[in-house]
Amino acid sequence: MPWPRMVFMWLAPLLRLMGMLLILLGWFMAAPLVLLIQESHPDVWAFGLSMGLTIGLGLVMAFLGARAPFILTGRQMFMITTLSWLMMSAFASLPMMLGSTHLSITDAWFETVSGITTTGSTVISGLDTLSHGILLWRGILQWLGGIGIIVMGMAILPFLQVGGMRLFQTESSDWSEKALPRSGKVAKAIGKVYVGLTAVCGFSYWLAGMNPFDALVHSLTTVATGGFANYDASMGHFADTPMILWISSFFMVLGSLPFLLYVQLIQRNWKPFWKDSQVRALLKLLALTILALTIYLCEVRGWYWFEALTHATFNVISVVSTSGYASSDYNDWGSFSVMVFFYIMFIGGCSGSTSGGFKIFRLQLAAILMSNQLKSLLHPRGVFSQRFNGRPVPDDVIRSMVAFAFFFFFTIASLALALSLMGLDFLTSLSSAVSAVANVGPALGHLIGPADNFELLPDAAKWMLSFGMILGRLEIVTFMILFTRAFWRS
Amino acid sequence: MPWPRMVFMWLAPLLRLMGMLLILLGWFMAAPLVLLIQESHPDVWAFGLSMGLTIGLGLVMAFLGARAPFILTGRQMFMITTLSWLMMSAFASLPMMLGSTHLSITDAWFETVSGITTTGSTVISGLDTLSHGILLWRGILQWLGGIGIIVMGMAILPFLQVGGMRLFQTESSDWSEKALPRSGKVAKAIGKVYVGLTAVCGFSYWLAGMNPFDALVHSLTTVATGGFANYDASMGHFADTPMILWISSFFMVLGSLPFLLYVQLIQRNWKPFWKDSQVRALLKLLALTILALTIYLCEVRGWYWFEALTHATFNVISVVSTSGYASSDYNDWGSFSVMVFFYIMFIGGCSGSTSGGFKIFRLQLAAILMSNQLKSLLHPRGVFSQRFNGRPVPDDVIRSMVAFAFFFFFTIASLALALSLMGLDFLTSLSSAVSAVANVGPALGHLIGPADNFELLPDAAKWMLSFGMILGRLEIVTFMILFTRAFWRS
Ligand SMILES: [K+]
Ligand SMILES: [K+]
């Protein structure tokens, strides 16, 4: 075969898949478009043009790609995973640039990447004055990103054995022809759960007093643990209605649990849900952190207990689930609180959920490793059980979890160093690096903290942070591998 | 055997070894005592009394312990290692409490632990006015701590397989009867090297302009990478004589290299020294950091290049070697510098040296792990070589390095959280926790930074930090294991 043909054969499946994704993205632009037409808003043409471009290019790519057999190797999957996120971000940012937001390329890219990776940091101040089209589009971006992350975490990363995720290799991550029909069913069920949860969340918001539009957009960004809000004050806009904060907390937790468990719940199989060690660990961790913070706020800072409990619950869940909404500026809650929020930024939710961060199961594997190490010091020749969720954990899973941990911390450290070179202070550099890579959203400190936005950052810092968000979303190694010599050999 | 007898048989070797250590410590008190007698200083009686108590109790313990056979199990070694550091600190703090320093129990404990672990944080302001006896004693504490760490790192920790140190299990860590004579020879040679380096360092300081007493004390604390200075301004007192800073830098680097290599150098075996991958990595890392910081100080902060090079070299080496001297307040060198100093606090020198921290070889093992992980993503069934210093690295060494890494970071994080509860700010809490556990000395920020001292900290924070220093010195797991159920079973 001549080499241009070989290159085409290799690229064709990529073109086909990515073309289909673009078409999907384009269709979702119809929703804000309809809204804008109803309102006769000038942003109509911006969305119309973006939609045409996106669907048009998607059709061309899908058509070209269809002219070769569709077989994917591991290498191509790594490539597709990274390229898809980049390409989706690029096209999704078109309305932000063309519309009445008039964002620069840097700002539009930052806002879109922050949306689609469900990070939720924003460069827009004056959200309250934006067109409904743009606000809805921001919500849709996070909602699409959220389901994208679930699919990637369940079907792609375990297959690629990234960062210890092989632990979650089930039939639904089996790509053989025999298993595909079943995988398809699981995927459909998960899609239904995602839509269902969003609907129930939105309905609850509406019942609690949000207007229908706010209820819609905030339900999209809650279930996706995204964190974009329609107001500069984030969820602080609704702080007078504690019920809204409690509803939001509840659905953010649901968004951080493994979605596969909901499918089993629907099939009336309750046991896996209650027995799941990741779920239990996450809930314990949340309870403990909320309790500690509530006591601190009451005893040391003199808050009323219901106020302390509400805000501690909401903001802790918001950060651990990597949503990143804020109901109040926790920078001013004392140095203990700042330290607590800094730490819980790293953690993240469960695998197979919409949340980011280090992830609960990796913390659990680390705890197993540490406890076995203490045992082996006393019994150097002993062999100790490594069990997770009742099943033995292979050594290579531990090894890739550990490698992921090192990549995760080195990425954060490098990003923070680069940001400090821009003159950002210690707390801001470090916390915004963690926040980006863990896809949380707000940083700590008074420049880009929970009460501020990222508008005033230097452009270079915005590019670095959006790069960090993508790295985090791709569990770092999926991206890094593209830059190894071994990847390009042969 | 009746159980009181069994307990005695188990404790006897501990008593004997620790008694001998106490006698040794007591004898070293003679040096400041002689100095104080010459000066007719009222602290004479404080040192005399401490010396009497220490040697007296040591004799009793050694005598009691000698009444049972001297056989050590792993458990007893873990016990002895922890107890020795605690006991030595307690007795070495006597002169600090009884003497004209009039330190409280908290302050005397903090200062002594900080000395003997070679951390070098001080609670004493007005060092310039202290009696020569106390200043010399501070120097001796660090010097004894330094050789203690070398011996522990070469002979005890590799044997106990702590934190991946099994990598350095050589004949000199073989405790069998056959190997003991050879180990004795190595130990003696290392002692000679230690004394020799200290002498050359002191002589160089004197030649460069220090008075004989300062040259003596600073040489004791330089080779031990301890960092206690005779002046409140630390080595900044000598900043007008760059030559002193350069000499100090040179000997701090020597103090962070594996001392076994010097013994081989003396035997005219140059190859291991030049080929040692740990040494090469440390030197590369130092060169890179110094270069980056010098360029930053010149280009961004407008320093003169020689001033920038001198202070960057001195302070970077001081922190990486975990000495902790300061020649200037690097808190005011801009946010990039603060971030750089924060990161290099973690690193530490080579194993088998006097320095603390995470240690270079662990960073190298982590790099191997990360690069192999990227390879294994492409070739899931591949087996990749793990070589360190030309020899294969067993899997269990990697595993214990990793467990150490988790323990190290969790210890630092917990300590910082506890400190933030005392109301210390983010930078102070986090950096003082790192500084204590890595045995560096000064923290960052303007409360206990390189230009300040620890006097004004709350007492609880002083106890926490001194606990962190001991944990760090014991490579954490050596201490933690005493609190596992498995340790006390049977
Ligand atoms: K988020
Ligand atoms: K030190």
Side-chain angles (χ1 to χ4, degrees), chain B residues 346-396:
Chain B
F346 286 90
I347 298 175
C350 303
S351 72
S353 76
T354 62
S355 70
F358 189 66
K359 304 244 162 50
I360 297 291
F361 79 96
R362 294 204 180 96
L363 277 182
Q364 293 176 287
L365 294 183
I368 292 173
L369 187 75
M370 289 161 77
S371 115
N372 278 353
Q373 175 64 17
L374 287 182
K375 285 183 206 152
S376 80
L377 286 177
L378 289 171
H379 307 287
R381 274 178 205 82
V383 174
F384 308 97
S385 77
Q386 306 176 139
R387 297 182 79 81
F388 178 80
N389 233 354
R391 278 186 300 177
V393 182
D395 272 346
D396 71 287

Side-chain angles (χ1 to χ4, degrees), chain B residues 153-170:
Chain B
M154 284 185 55
I156 302 180
L157 300 183
F159 177 81
L160 296 178
Q161 319 210 348
V162 161
M165 303 265 283
R166 187 161 87 75
L167 203 53
F168 305 101
Q169 206 170 34
T170 58

Side-chain angles (χ1 to χ4, degrees), chain A residues 75 78 160-164 296 300 335-340 342-343 358 363 366 369-371 373-380 386 395-396 399-407 409-410 412-414 416-417 420-427 429-430 444 477-478 480-481 484 486-487, chain B residues 75 78 160-164 296 300 335-340 342-343 358 363 366 369-371 373-380 386 395-396 399-407 409-410 412-414 416-417 420-427 429-430 444 477-478 480-481 484 486-487:
Chain A
R75 262 166 236 248
F78 279 113
L160 295 178
Q161 317 209 351
V162 161
Y296 174 78
V300 182
S335 37
F336 177 72
S337 305
V338 172
M339 196 60 85
V340 166
F342 177 68
Y343 287 160
F358 189 66
L363 277 182
L369 187 76
M370 288 161 77
S371 116
Q373 175 63 18
L374 287 182
K375 286 183 205 151
S376 81
L377 286 177
L378 288 171
H379 307 286
Q386 304 177 140
D395 272 346
D396 71 287
R399 215 176 303 126
S400 59
M401 175 280 289
V402 166
F404 174 82
F406 285 122
F407 275 114
F409 286 103
F410 280 118
I412 289 171
S414 316
L417 189 66
S420 77
L421 202 51
M422 312 271 98
L424 301 184
D425 68 273
F426 184 77
L427 179 58
S429 307
L430 210 54
L444 293 165
V477 285
T478 318
M480 298 284 277
I481 202 172
T484 59
F487 187 87
Chain B
R75 263 166 235 250
F78 278 114
L160 296 178
Q161 319 210 348
V162 161
Y296 175 78
V300 182
S335 38
F336 177 72
S337 305
V338 172
M339 197 60 87
V340 166
F342 177 68
Y343 288 159
F358 189 66
L363 277 182
L369 187 75
M370 289 161 77
S371 115
Q373 175 64 17
L374 287 182
K375 285 183 206 152
S376 80
L377 286 177
L378 289 171
H379 307 287
Q386 306 176 139
D395 272 346
D396 71 287
R399 215 176 303 129
S400 59
M401 174 281 288
V402 166
F404 174 82
F406 286 123
F407 276 114
F409 286 103
F410 281 119
I412 289 171
S414 316
L417 189 66
S420 76
L421 201 50
M422 312 271 99
L424 301 184
D425 68 274
F426 184 78
L427 178 58
S429 306
L430 208 56
L444 293 165
V477 284
T478 318
M480 299 283 277
I481 201 172
T484 59
F487 188 86

Side-chain angles (χ1 to χ4, degrees), chain B residues 118-120 225-227 322-324 439-441:
Chain B
T118 74
T119 306
T225 62
T322 71
S323 304
N439 299 118
V440 174

Side-chain angles (χ1 to χ4, degrees), chain B residues 468-489:
Chain B
M469 294 170 196
I470 290 178
L471 266 185
R473 205 69 279 188
L474 291 169
E475 308 259 327
I476 301 163
V477 284
T478 318
F479 180 84
M480 299 283 277
I481 201 172
L482 302 185
F483 295 87
T484 59
R485 243 182 309 169
F487 188 86
W488 295 102
R489 206 174 289 154

Side-chain angles (χ1 to χ4, degrees), chain B residues 254-275:
Chain B
L254 292 189
S256 341
L257 302 184
F259 272 66
L260 195 59
L261 292 178
Y262 299 131
V263 175
Q264 292 170 321
L265 273 188
I266 291 174
Q267 294 161 347
R268 312 200 176 228
N269 190 356
W270 288 76
K271 217 173 135 195
F273 190 87
W274 295 119
K275 292 258 164 164

